[in-house]
Amino acid sequence: MELTVHKKLFNTLPLAAFALSACAQNPAEKADKRPNILIILADDMGYSDLGCYGGEIQTPNLDRLAQNGVRFNRFYNAGRSCPTRASLLTGLYPHEAGIGRMTFDDHLPGYRGTMTHNGVTIAEALKNAGYQTGMIGKWHVAETPLRPDQREWLAHQVQHDEFAPKENYPTRRGFEDYYGTIYGVVDYFDPFSLVNGETPVNKVPKDYYTTIAYSDSAVSYINRYAQSDKPFFMYLSYNSPHWPLQAPEEDVKKYENTYKAGWEAIRDARYKRMLELGIFPEQSDYLTNRQATKEWETNPDSAWDARAMAVHAAMIDRMDREIGKVLKALEDTKELDNTLIIFLSDNGCSPEICQNFLPGENDRPDMLRDGTPVIYPKNKEVMPGPETTYASLGPLWANVANMPFRFWKAKMYEGGICTPMIAYWSRGIKIPVGSVNSEMCHVMDLMATCLDLAQAKYPTTFNGNEILPLEGISIVPILQTGKRKGHKIIGFEHFNEKALMSRDGWKIIQPSKKDSPWELYDLNSDRTEKNDVAGQYPERLRQMISQYEAWAERTMVVPAPKPQN
């Protein structure tokens, strides 16, 4: 049976270079019928960047997964890369997993900067259940202490055997195979902290580009795993499109004129397409105001800004093409039919202006391997794209990328924590493909989903450690019926940004700014948080603040918030 194109919903979307099709099972039918599981994670990608979520960026492979799968419009992350990844991998809230903030030890139980051993990873649980396990890409869930020679180390001019304690490497947390970076930020053409298994990769070819190399490794793993009777779990974690804005020039040229129209025109066009695609089918007026009022027509840096967004688009375009190679490998090995593929982003698009960061520190190099200076263009004096520059989009384009939501990465508004999520599974999805689902879900649900499909039990102890109770709930019922009995509440906290949402569609937010009051939104009628109704529903607000306080105490969030009068 061929996967059909749903023209009514996707008539404006480009098709993949190859046709995803349901393939005949291997001649020697596998005894183990459990599905393979492939989780693909993008980094700092905006809510509306993909074609199937309204964007102008060409993403035909992900669009085809969407038109033959299910898109979620209320799937949540933890607001930033490392907390989201810790939550995804363990099925716990990020604080319970040990990473409430970043990968530095704040000497508090929920903020240790590395994944706790009082949780298990999906890989550990599924490996014990008979799965092959492999990971490719960005790890960013291990403490990364700084060294006296950090500047030279970042530039590959000195070498060390460990980028983090090896006990916290992927290969020590259930993954049989690993190729990727331990740190969070990379030079896409010559990445720091690259390892194969546990061995540092000290030199890469001249034509190296991280997104391509990750995908080639994924193809290699799939070809090997397909030879086994055992199913596989693979976690493919791209750095793209996280800053620095770096992409092959031929990819950037594809978009060199696209963003000269400016912020407002691109944002409006995305909103129009999102309406046509029915991303929020229950609402027809949900575009928020821009967070900044700067006008494109009077922007003296319009050429630089258009180029920056073109590089961002090129990075996503390249990621989609490389995902196409991974899908082709699944098709060629007759594994596509019986593989659940989940694609999502770790948080909203980033407003960070990395040009203002101090180079040579943490994970930010100030020179290349040969000593060539890396330019952080504070005054936009050089164009982004090549390896010799470190630049980022900033808040104005981030607001466009996260359309229709307010704000961005690290905020607890929808623009920070709501992620585009696509689920594709030819044999397992029973609801209409091409549809949009509005069930409230969270990245911590992926562990429970994997356990469900693998028919595996969540342990109470592992390697001598007491294991915290699982927080996530399987999304398999949604794929089969469109509904599930989900979370009563979901809580959020990151650098003192706080939020809590309830199953019935209400949400409270307290921004991190000192003395900020709690805000209240009815997402049922106000999906993009345009109208704070805290003054209209004081009793509901008090009740939800109390729920937040209880959640925060239970999940190791500190400091606990003060009650509001």
Side-chain angles (χ1 to χ4, degrees):
M1 179 186 73
E2 187 175 354
L3 294 177
T4 57
V5 178
H6 295 268
K7 294 183 179 179
K8 181 178 179 181
L9 202 57
F10 289 86
N11 57 357
T12 61
L13 300 183
L15 299 181
F18 64 93
L20 289 179
S21 60
C23 306
Q25 183 68 340
N26 283 318
E29 191 79 13
K30 286 191 175 183
D32 195 330
K33 308 290 186 182
R34 294 176 298 172
N36 307 310
I37 302 167
L38 170 60
I39 296 175
I40 306 175
L41 188 66
D43 196 345
D44 287 10
M45 191 186 74
Y47 191 82
S48 62
D49 277 338
L50 298 180
C52 56
Y53 275 83
E56 70 293 326
I57 302 172
Q58 295 183 34
T59 55
N61 295 296
L62 289 168
D63 296 345
R64 285 295 295 265
L65 289 182
Q67 74 186 54
N68 295 288
V70 180
R71 284 162 298 162
F72 288 67
N73 66 18
R74 287 196 69 196
F75 200 97
Y76 290 96
N77 56 65
R80 194 187 289 269
S81 176
C82 34
T84 292
R85 290 158 200 272
S87 186
L88 184 158
L89 283 163
T90 62
L92 303 173
Y93 280 106
H95 309 81
E96 295 174 306
I99 307 184
R101 290 179 187 151
M102 303 295 292
T103 54
F104 299 100
D105 191 352
D106 292 328
H107 305 289
L108 294 167
Y111 306 87
R112 299 311 302 261
T114 196
M115 280 199 304
T116 177
H117 288 276
N118 294 115
V120 296
T121 68
I122 298 174
E124 287 169 331
L126 266 59
K127 182 179 178 182
N128 279 3
Y131 270 65
Q132 304 170 88
T133 58
M135 180 186 169
I136 303 100
K138 175 176 173 175
W139 183 232
H140 204 203
V141 286
E143 185 186 1
T144 49
L146 305 182
R147 296 177 180 268
D149 57 357
Q150 190 78 10
R151 178 173 178 266
E152 293 78 13
W153 195 29
L154 288 169
H156 309 280
Q157 294 179 351
V158 298
Q159 307 294 337
H160 297 290
D161 187 51
E162 286 188 343
F163 296 101
K166 285 188 176 179
E167 66 180 21
N168 297 318
Y169 272 33
T171 47
R172 308 286 180 97
R173 298 308 306 263
F175 289 102
E176 298 165 316
D177 298 296
Y178 175 64
Y179 176 82
T181 55
I182 301 299
Y183 270 58
V185 174
V186 299
D187 170 342
Y188 284 83
F189 297 97
D190 191 6
F192 173 73
S193 77
L194 184 65
V195 300
N196 186 9
E198 297 183 4
T199 304
V201 178
N202 293 326
K203 190 174 182 180
V204 296
K206 288 185 178 180
D207 60 349
Y208 189 94
Y209 187 67
T210 300
T211 305
I212 299 173
Y214 287 174
S215 306
D216 289 344
S217 295
V219 169
S220 176
Y221 287 7
I222 288 168
N223 289 336
R224 174 155 51 87
Y225 294 159
Q227 303 306 311
S228 171
D229 286 335
K230 295 163 59 176
F232 65 81
F233 166 67
M234 184 183 295
Y235 173 38
L236 176 51
S237 174
Y238 288 103
N239 295 87
S240 181
H242 191 289
W243 60 264
L245 293 169
Q246 294 179 345
E249 186 61 26
E250 63 269 23
D251 293 351
V252 181
K253 284 186 177 296
K254 190 173 179 180
Y255 297 94
E256 62 183 350
N257 295 316
T258 303
Y259 299 102
K260 292 178 180 179
W263 306 300
E264 201 70 34
I266 297 298
R267 190 168 178 264
D268 288 347
R270 287 190 176 197
Y271 180 57
K272 181 180 179 181
R273 283 191 294 270
M274 185 172 278
L275 285 169
E276 293 171 352
L277 292 169
I279 300 301
F280 301 110
E282 68 282 2
Q283 296 183 23
S284 59
D285 180 15
Y286 50 82
L287 182 61
T288 57
N289 293 329
R290 284 172 55 196
Q291 304 308 125
T293 57
K294 187 175 182 180
E295 298 302 323
W296 187 261
E297 290 73 20
T298 57
N299 175 23
D301 300 313
S302 60
W304 194 96
D305 289 334
R307 166 77 180 194
M309 189 62 186
V311 180
H312 175 82
M315 296 168 78
I316 294 171
D317 183 304
R318 170 58 67 175
M319 179 174 62
D320 180 84
R321 278 185 279 164
E322 297 304 312
I323 289 171
K325 293 188 334 192
V326 176
L327 300 179
K328 184 66 162 57
L330 289 169
E331 183 182 40
D332 290 345
T333 57
K334 308 282 193 295
E335 296 289 347
L336 181 61
D337 269 15
N338 200 34
T339 300
L340 169 64
I341 302 172
I342 289 175
F343 175 89
L344 70 161
S345 179
D346 62 352
N347 46 248
C349 188
S350 171
E352 294 163 299
I353 303 176
C354 79
Q355 298 92 291
N356 294 331
F357 294 163
L358 291 175
E361 295 184 355
N362 191 13
D363 50 13
R364 305 182 288 269
D366 67 350
M367 58 182 165
L368 302 184
R369 182 184 294 266
D370 62 3
T372 301
V374 172
I375 299 172
Y376 288 66
K378 292 184 179 181
N379 300 313
K380 300 185 176 180
E381 63 272 24
V382 295
M383 290 292 185
E387 184 184 9
T388 50
T389 66
Y390 262 51
S392 56
L393 284 179
L396 290 164
W397 276 125
N399 200 191
V400 174
N402 291 328
M403 196 288 304
F405 297 130
R406 300 166 62 192
F407 293 109
W408 35 64
K409 172 182 178 179
K411 292 287 189 179
M412 298 299 104
Y413 294 93
E414 299 290 277
I417 60 174
C418 193
T419 178
M421 195 284 246
I422 302 166
Y424 168 87
W425 183 18
S426 174
R427 289 187 176 176
I429 293 178
K430 305 302 182 185
I431 59 177
V433 296
S435 60
V436 177
N437 188 276
S438 299
E439 289 288 296
M440 182 179 73
C441 304
H442 189 276
V443 293
M444 64 187 175
D445 295 339
L446 297 184
M447 162 67 95
T449 304
C450 292
L451 292 171
D452 194 352
L453 296 175
Q455 301 166 34
K457 292 183 178 180
Y458 183 77
T460 56
T461 61
F462 189 80
N463 288 343
N465 298 301
E466 296 291 327
I467 301 301
L468 294 170
L470 181 64
E471 296 278 4
I473 301 172
S474 173
I475 68 168
V476 171
I478 300 174
L479 302 180
Q480 295 175 341
T481 69
K483 299 286 183 180
R484 71 168 184 182
K485 187 177 180 180
H487 303 275
K488 291 183 179 179
I489 61 166
I490 297 178
F492 303 84
E493 188 275 340
H494 185 61
F495 283 101
N496 219 33
E497 288 269 338
K498 309 179 184 96
L500 181 133
M501 61 181 63
S502 62
R503 182 190 295 165
D504 61 1
W506 290 81
K507 178 180 177 183
I508 58 170
I509 302 171
Q510 186 180 52
S512 60
K513 187 177 178 180
K514 187 178 179 181
D515 299 325
S516 291
W518 282 94
E519 302 167 7
L520 175 66
Y521 298 94
D522 179 3
L523 300 184
N524 299 296
S525 59
D526 182 18
R527 185 64 183 81
T528 54
E529 303 164 328
K530 293 193 290 185
N531 303 298
D532 176 10
V533 294
Q536 299 175 41
Y537 300 96
E539 184 56 38
R540 180 180 288 273
L541 179 65
R542 281 193 290 270
Q543 179 187 12
M544 293 188 73
I545 292 172
S546 178
Q547 288 178 310
Y548 178 88
E549 292 169 349
W551 169 83
E553 182 176 2
R554 181 177 67 80
T555 59
M556 295 182 273
V557 174
V558 293
K562 297 290 185 182
Q564 299 293 306
N565 295 327

